[in-house]
Amino acid sequence: MLKCLSVLALGGSLAFPCAAAVMPAPDIQVNPAGRHLVLNLPQARLFLYQDGKLARIFPVAVGKMLTQTPTGSFDITGIYKAPAWHVPKSIQDEMRRNGKEVQTVVPPGPNNPLGPVFVRFGESRLGLGFHGTNAPGSVPGFRSHGCVRLKNDDALELAGTVSRGDAVTVAYQTILLSQDEAGQLWLTVYRNHYKQEDPSLKYLAQTLLDWQRQHQQALYGQRVDDALKQRSGKPVCLSCKSASGAISGGLQPFAWLSRLTPAAAPETPAASQPAPDREPGPPARASQRGRTAARAG
């Protein structure tokens, strides 16, 4: 793959995982003021930003292949403590097919799949939200019916931090570029769990060639090909002379997708469209504002 990167191939070995556990962030334009939640589905991670700075990363479980969490831009539209779970008809049918007791409403308590809190984002008809779980071992992963599960302590922390109107961006970025404090360029590639066409792939080769010209520093093209093939989710240094080079300080997102003009920006294929029978919490009192639309990366 990426044959045009062969001019960069000065070494053939794949970089080993860096010694320190570092979670790269997706390339999303974050609001400079206030809170902004960014969920990157391939990572199964939720990034909480405060005034443009990363404050917290939460492991999450998102929609499985058949009930994908949709991408887009939304607002927080409700926060509900000790929610009852009104079981969607589709999940009632699933219970019936699996020979389980069919429930229509699950009251608050330790057996409630929503856990101790439900934080709705988007309009109530979408049935989307961040919530706790009665199955903490399912987090992180790709196991939900479209909502976003957190471990209960994390869900309570999130609910105590955010407010109605806070921005939420749900992205689908499998290819992340980052720079460390020494200016080295790192590539992290995640599995394409939803088997979508990867819209960022066609921009990667030119982005790396531009970086090489700008920094007058060679990149190792074979490491790119290996990372794209393995999709291990481990940062790989493209500019380090040693394949086992360690990350210096932290990783900051390298702006490449967010720099594209709207006309050139890659369209992320829509995940399965949100339906009223996802994992809804308590019904909202009124239709809230939700910013649908722009596909994030």
Side-chain angles (χ1 to χ4, degrees):
M1 298 180 68
L2 295 182
K3 293 181 179 178
C4 56
L5 277 177
S6 60
V7 296
L8 306 176
L10 305 179
S13 58
L14 173 69
F16 294 106
C18 57
V22 177
M23 177 65 64
D27 178 21
I28 298 294
Q29 289 186 338
V30 177
N31 292 343
R35 284 179 295 270
H36 192 161
L37 293 170
V38 175
L39 170 62
N40 191 28
L41 297 172
Q43 288 180 275
R45 290 297 187 275
L46 176 65
F47 299 81
L48 170 63
Y49 292 88
Q50 177 68 52
D51 297 330
K53 296 182 179 180
L54 182 61
R56 186 78 158 80
I57 303 175
F58 298 98
V60 297
V62 298
K64 52 192 174 184
M65 180 64 181
L66 294 179
T67 52
Q68 300 174 18
T69 302
T71 58
S73 298
F74 310 90
D75 290 334
I76 297 293
T77 51
I79 301 172
Y80 307 92
K81 298 290 182 67
W85 182 39
H86 298 266
V87 185
K89 185 179 182 301
S90 63
I91 300 180
Q92 293 181 40
D93 294 340
E94 185 178 310
M95 292 174 175
R96 190 175 294 109
R97 287 194 304 270
N98 293 334
K100 297 180 179 179
E101 177 187 356
V102 177
Q103 297 174 287
T104 57
V105 179
V106 178
N111 296 322
N112 191 314
L114 299 183
V117 67
F118 184 92
V119 179
R120 186 185 301 283
F121 61 90
E123 297 178 0
S124 59
R125 64 180 178 81
L126 302 179
L128 295 171
F130 306 105
H131 61 77
T133 180
N134 62 347
S138 68
V139 179
F142 296 79
R143 299 180 176 90
S144 81
H145 289 82
C147 280
V148 183
R149 301 179 192 170
L150 295 86
K151 294 185 177 181
N152 287 339
D153 288 346
D154 288 346
L156 289 169
E157 179 183 342
L158 180 69
T161 302
V162 300
S163 303
R164 285 174 179 257
D166 287 349
V168 177
T169 299
V170 182
Y172 195 87
Q173 293 185 5
T174 62
I175 301 174
L176 305 184
L177 289 173
S178 314
Q179 285 186 286
D180 65 14
E181 292 182 3
Q184 302 287 7
L185 186 66
W186 294 78
L187 170 68
T188 311
V189 186
Y190 293 89
R191 288 180 56 197
N192 187 356
H193 289 272
Y194 290 172
K195 302 186 186 306
Q196 297 182 4
E197 180 183 353
D198 201 329
S200 60
L201 186 58
K202 61 184 177 181
Y203 299 97
L204 180 60
Q206 188 61 51
T207 298
L208 298 181
L209 289 168
D210 290 344
W211 190 96
Q212 181 177 246
R213 281 194 290 265
Q214 180 180 352
H215 293 81
Q216 293 296 298
Q217 185 175 355
L219 298 180
Y220 289 75
Q222 185 60 48
R223 298 178 191 173
V224 178
D225 291 338
D226 290 342
L228 289 170
K229 180 179 179 180
Q230 296 187 10
R231 293 184 173 266
S232 66
K234 297 174 182 177
V236 173
C237 187
L238 303 183
S239 55
C240 301
K241 291 183 179 179
S242 171
S244 57
I247 293 173
S248 176
L251 288 176
Q252 294 297 322
F254 177 74
W256 60 302
L257 298 177
S258 61
R259 285 179 178 175
L260 297 174
T261 63
E267 285 284 333
T268 297
S272 56
Q273 292 301 311
D277 59 356
R278 289 191 180 276
E279 293 179 338
R285 284 189 282 266
S287 177
Q288 304 289 346
R289 180 170 67 95
R291 302 194 308 270
T292 57
R295 301 297 179 194

